[in-house]
Amino acid sequence: MELTKAANSANPANPAKPEKPEKPEKPSRRTDGGRGVPGRVTTAAVLGTVLEWYDFAIYASMAAVIGRLFFPSDDPTVSLLVTFASYAVGFVCRPLGAIVLGRLGDRAGRRSMLAVTMVTVGVASVLIGLLPTHASVGALAPALLVALRMVQGLAAGAEWTGGATFLIEYARTGRRGLYSGVVQASTVAGFLLGTGVAMAVVRFMSEATVDSWGWRVPFLLGGVVAAVGLFVRLKLDESPAYRELRAARKAEHRHGTGTEEAQTGRDGGGERAGDGERGGVGDDSAQTRRGWLLVLGIVFGVTLYGYTATSFPAFLDAVGALSLADALTTNAVALLIEVPLIVAAGALSDRLGRKRLMGGALALYAVATCPVFLLATNGTLAGALIGQIVFVVLFAAVSGPMAALFVELFPTRVRSTAFSSSYNVGAAVFGGTAPFVNTYLATATGIAVAPALYLVLGALVSLAFLSRVRDRHKEELR
């Protein structure tokens, strides 16, 4: 009898257990059916990112106004530096938000996390627009402003990375770079929208009107974007990659099969079924830690350039190169040119590879940054415009493939937490302080191009870390 059972179980044709060995098989990740990600998914992913970076853009673009109203000082440069310091405070909270909300995205789902971030950023933006100024309530005004910037920073810690993860998990292999470009272009669209609104307020209102109530308008408009984005996001399903992970977790509870073992087995981490949990998970964790450090290093230079591009208007105004209105105008034109270039660069990385395209742009940055700053700060409108255009063209080649490169570094089960935390630690330390450091270097040394040396260092560091990345643009997501 026992011999018969053994023979039956060993026989592959035996119908007693026909489908069990097929359970771990991975379904196709070609989730867009070859036609593209559904429009509602793309809209939901990018609207929150537009709002997040719209909010940061209006704060940076109107830093001089905010400095006068909330951080008054006899020296306008001191007010501006303190305003940029409060700008950086929001970034300090980003890593904490990335960890907390990133774990929410990995455990409860990408959709739930994105709804939370949308509400938080939108409500904080409206409340900033309703704040009393220093003239009305004294020191309470800057304290409330900083507190709301911290709340925004918590939510921002998972907004862009969460939207990028959600959208790229929907895309099939061979199209992820394209959608990486789309979600990254939405950050510049947010910058552009914020800069455009700030430019309109400054250009078409008198300084007295701006100081009285005009500065509030851009922040209150952020609440409208948040309401629309939340409505769209609540109607979405989870990403296909996360639905697959959730199904594996349910199977674990039903059949006692370790989800992480199955996951790492699919990733090629385990040697045999019996070794999967001990060897495979350990290997997978080591790869995640390595990916975390690589993202942190790459983000150094990338965020320096990204946040410098956004804060160019206040920088040009501070060093006396242009009036604030003219600086905002040139910046808006440059950002408008950058948006389609980011999408094109993301799509091009699906053919050339993320590493090759980003590496070439970073190398050019290291060479061209000083000449670009000399041109942008020569005191002419044409010089400022051309310098910023060159700056953002190179940044498009770096940022277009970036989200896809980072998403591809991590497995689905920890992607939200690992991507959000690694990116936002770098953004907090390097990106959030970039406007402050740039303005300080230029004003303290009296040399308008002094920040360029700091940016060149960032480009070289990012290039060194990028050289250690394995390009996975032709592989399925793990």
Side-chain angles (χ1 to χ4, degrees):
M1 187 68 172
E2 295 298 330
L3 289 174
T4 303
K5 287 181 180 178
N8 288 340
S9 63
N11 184 358
N14 190 336
K17 288 183 164 182
E19 73 286 357
K20 288 295 183 185
E22 303 300 322
K23 280 286 186 182
E25 288 296 322
K26 176 170 65 176
S28 173
R29 292 288 178 84
R30 295 180 175 271
T31 55
D32 63 7
R35 296 181 299 275
V37 174
R40 68 183 186 279
V41 173
T42 304
T43 300
V46 303
L47 267 180
T49 302
V50 167
L51 172 62
E52 175 193 350
W53 298 109
Y54 164 86
D55 232 37
F56 280 108
I58 58 176
Y59 194 90
S61 297
M62 302 193 72
V65 178
I66 293 172
R68 290 198 303 268
L69 297 177
F70 287 87
F71 307 99
S73 171
D74 294 335
D75 186 346
T77 300
V78 172
S79 292
L80 182 63
L81 288 173
V82 173
T83 303
F84 278 144
S86 67
Y87 175 89
V89 163
F91 285 84
V92 172
C93 297
R94 289 177 66 140
L96 177 59
I99 294 170
V100 174
L101 295 173
R103 285 179 65 82
L104 176 66
D106 283 330
R107 293 178 177 274
R110 320 303 196 209
R111 175 180 173 272
S112 299
M113 177 195 67
L114 290 173
V116 170
T117 59
M118 180 68 79
V119 170
T120 306
V121 173
V123 169
S125 179
V126 171
L127 290 177
I128 289 175
L130 298 175
L131 282 179
T133 63
H134 190 280
S136 300
V137 295
L140 180 61
L144 290 173
L145 177 62
V146 170
L148 288 172
R149 293 287 302 137
M150 293 173 71
V151 170
Q152 283 186 317
L154 287 171
E159 175 54 55
W160 176 76
T161 53
T165 298
F166 185 74
L167 185 57
I168 293 169
E169 284 181 345
Y170 256 98
R172 66 178 172 89
T173 303
R175 298 287 292 277
R176 293 196 297 264
L178 169 64
Y179 288 102
S180 170
V182 169
V183 76
Q184 184 63 20
S186 71
T187 68
V188 183
F191 286 145
L192 180 62
L193 181 61
T195 302
V197 170
M199 178 181 66
V201 168
V202 172
R203 187 171 288 275
F204 298 113
M205 294 182 182
S206 66
E207 183 174 312
T209 302
V210 171
D211 287 357
S212 176
W213 58 268
W215 69 271
R216 301 178 186 275
V217 173
F219 292 101
L220 296 176
L221 289 176
V224 178
V225 179
V228 174
L230 181 63
F231 176 78
V232 175
R233 283 184 173 181
L234 290 178
K235 292 182 174 293
L236 292 179
D237 294 326
E238 286 293 350
S239 73
Y242 187 80
R243 289 201 302 267
E244 180 187 337
L245 177 63
R246 186 168 56 191
R249 286 171 175 167
K250 289 180 179 178
E252 173 191 2
H253 291 299
R254 287 198 306 268
H255 305 297
T257 302
T259 302
E260 293 189 359
E261 180 179 341
Q263 177 76 27
T264 52
R266 287 198 305 269
D267 296 342
E271 296 294 326
R272 300 185 303 272
D275 296 338
E277 185 170 351
R278 183 181 58 190
V281 172
D283 291 344
D284 187 61
S285 297
Q287 291 173 6
T288 298
R289 287 193 296 271
R290 183 176 185 273
W292 199 98
L293 292 173
L294 287 173
V295 171
L296 180 64
I298 295 169
V299 161
F300 178 21
V302 173
T303 57
L304 283 186
Y305 281 96
Y307 291 107
T308 296
T310 311
S311 60
F312 248 120
F315 171 74
L316 292 174
D317 178 55
V319 299
L322 286 179
S323 68
L324 180 58
D326 286 342
L328 287 169
T329 301
T330 58
N331 191 246
V333 172
L335 292 178
L336 185 62
I337 292 171
E338 184 184 11
V339 170
L341 294 178
I342 290 178
V343 179
L348 185 60
S349 75
D350 283 325
R351 294 179 176 273
L352 299 182
R354 328 287 187 217
K355 187 174 175 179
R356 183 186 303 177
L357 188 59
M358 292 175 67
L362 285 169
L364 287 174
Y365 253 139
V367 174
T369 298
C370 287
V372 164
F373 263 75
L374 284 170
L375 183 61
T377 58
N378 70 0
T380 67
L381 195 66
L385 178 60
I386 295 171
Q388 288 180 84
I389 289 174
V390 174
F391 195 92
V392 299
V393 166
L394 290 176
F395 187 68
V398 175
S399 64
M402 180 177 66
L405 178 79
F406 293 164
V407 165
E408 290 160 354
L409 283 175
F410 304 110
T412 300
R413 65 185 179 84
V414 297
R415 181 173 294 129
S416 180
T417 307
F419 178 20
S420 294
S421 60
S422 57
Y423 178 85
N424 282 288
V425 167
V429 175
F430 309 120
T433 58
F436 178 90
V437 173
N438 288 342
T439 303
Y440 174 78
L441 288 174
T443 55
T445 64
I447 303 173
V449 298
L453 300 177
Y454 181 45
L455 295 178
V456 169
L457 173 64
L460 294 175
V461 170
S462 292
L463 194 57
F465 277 86
L466 181 66
S467 69
R468 307 297 298 172
V469 170
R470 171 187 165 190
D471 205 328
R472 291 186 169 93
H473 71 286
K474 294 183 178 180
E475 302 176 13
E476 298 286 345
L477 290 179
R478 298 178 288 155

